[in-house]
Amino acid sequence: MARVLFLFLDGVGLGAADSASNPFAAAHLPAIERLLEGRQLIAAAAPFEGDLATLVPIDACLGMPGDPQSASGQATLLTGRNIPQVIGEHYGPKPNEAITSALRENNLFQEVVRRGGSAQLLNAYPPRYFEAILSRRRLYSSIPLAAALAGLPLMTADDLREGRALAADFTGIGWAAQPDFPPAPIYEPEQAGEQLARLSLNADLTWFDYWPSDYAGHRATLAQAVSLLETFDRVLGGLVRAWSTRHELVVLTSDHGNLEDLGHRGHTLAPVPGLLIGPRASRRAFAHNLIDLTGFHAAILRTLFP
C-alpha cells in the first residue's frame, strides 16, 4: 500500500504576481521554486507538471456565492461531498450541526480505517486545548473533529515531547513561547521537515494541519507573512530531501484563499494550490479529474487502495 502525507495549509490561495500584497511573490522560497522549476507559488504558475512536482489550481468556491469558509471547505476535503451545496452556504470557522453530521456520516479518516488502513493527525495539542473542548468553551474545527470521529487519538504534549507529533508551527518555537505550555523539543525548520517525513512512515495516511498561514492572512504584516513562508519553505525543503527516494505522495492544498492577498484581509475567491510531490505516474493518477475540493477524498483513497 502506498502512503500519502497530506499537508493542509489553511487559508492559502494562488494569487497575483504582486510582491506588495502577495507574500508568495515577495518571499524567497527556494524549495518551492525548485519543485516548480523556477516558478513561484502563484496563479500564473498553474497548471504545471515537472520532474519533481505537479501544481493544479483547485476551485474552493464550489459553485456557491460568497467567500469560502474553513469549516465547510475542510469538510468538503474530508468527505468528498460539496458541503456548501449540501448545507446551502459556505460556513465557518467551526462546524455547525449540519457539517458535524456530514463528518460523522463518513469522513476520510473513517474510510481509511474502515478499509483496513491506518491514519494519523500529527498535530500536538496543548493541555488547555483539551480542557477547553471538555468544558465546551471551544469547539473542534473540522479536521480534529473528523479524526476524533474516526476514533483516532489526538496527539498531546507527551506525544510532542517524545517525538511522535509536531507543534502547529512545525518547529515548536511558538509552543515554547507560551508560558503555560509543557516543555517540548525545538527543531530547526529543516529538521522539522525531516521529522515530518519520518513520522509519516507510521501510517498509511498522515495529515498535518498548518493553521498559522490563515492567521497570518488575517493579521500579519507583509514582513511577518514573508518570514512565516520562508520558515515553511525550509520545512518543506527538509521534507523533500528526506522524501527523495520514496515512491509515495506528498499532497499540499488548502480550504480557501486568504494569505495570498494581504490587501484584502479576508477570505478570497482565488483557486487554492493542489501541489503534488512524488513519482510522476502517481501524481498524474492523483491529479486526474482533480478540479475542486471534492476531488481529494477519492484521489487519496485511489492512491491508498488501488
Side-chain angles (χ1 to χ4, degrees), residues 178-266:
Q178 301 297 316
D180 60 339
F181 281 21
I186 294 177
Y187 301 100
E188 289 296 319
E190 294 83 359
Q191 291 176 317
E194 294 166 359
Q195 180 74 345
L196 185 59
R198 284 192 293 270
L199 291 174
S200 72
L201 294 170
N202 295 332
D204 302 310
L205 171 64
T206 295
W207 187 299
F208 189 88
D209 178 9
Y210 185 69
W211 55 260
S213 46
D214 189 53
Y215 186 89
H218 286 296
R219 302 190 182 190
T221 65
L222 179 64
Q224 290 169 332
V226 165
S227 178
L228 180 87
L229 288 177
E230 290 180 346
T231 297
F232 171 76
D233 189 75
R234 291 174 60 192
V235 174
L236 185 63
L239 170 65
V240 170
R241 283 193 295 276
W243 204 272
S244 61
T245 60
R246 289 172 57 172
H247 298 285
E248 296 167 332
L249 276 179
V250 177
V251 177
L252 182 155
T253 196
S254 189
D255 49 354
H256 55 74
N258 181 3
L259 181 59
E260 81 286 354
D261 185 1
L262 295 184
H264 180 67
R265 288 305 180 188

Side-chain angles (χ1 to χ4, degrees), residues 108-240:
L108 182 60
F109 296 120
Q110 289 172 320
E111 186 66 18
V112 169
V113 173
R114 186 186 70 79
R115 295 191 186 195
S118 56
Q120 58 180 348
L121 175 59
L122 274 188
N123 293 76
Y125 295 90
R128 72 181 185 195
Y129 176 87
F130 295 101
E131 292 165 3
I133 292 291
L134 287 173
S135 68
R136 300 187 179 180
R137 290 181 286 107
R138 180 173 190 152
L139 297 174
Y140 284 123
S141 59
S142 289
I143 293 167
L145 175 60
L149 289 170
L152 303 181
L154 297 186
M155 301 288 193
T156 68
D158 288 342
D159 293 302
L160 179 61
R161 185 180 63 252
E162 294 172 17
R164 295 188 294 266
L166 289 167
D169 64 353
F170 293 107
T171 64
I173 292 173
W175 179 291
Q178 301 297 316
D180 60 339
F181 281 21
I186 294 177
Y187 301 100
E188 289 296 319
E190 294 83 359
Q191 291 176 317
E194 294 166 359
Q195 180 74 345
L196 185 59
R198 284 192 293 270
L199 291 174
S200 72
L201 294 170
N202 295 332
D204 302 310
L205 171 64
T206 295
W207 187 299
F208 189 88
D209 178 9
Y210 185 69
W211 55 260
S213 46
D214 189 53
Y215 186 89
H218 286 296
R219 302 190 182 190
T221 65
L222 179 64
Q224 290 169 332
V226 165
S227 178
L228 180 87
L229 288 177
E230 290 180 346
T231 297
F232 171 76
D233 189 75
R234 291 174 60 192
V235 174
L236 185 63
L239 170 65
V240 170

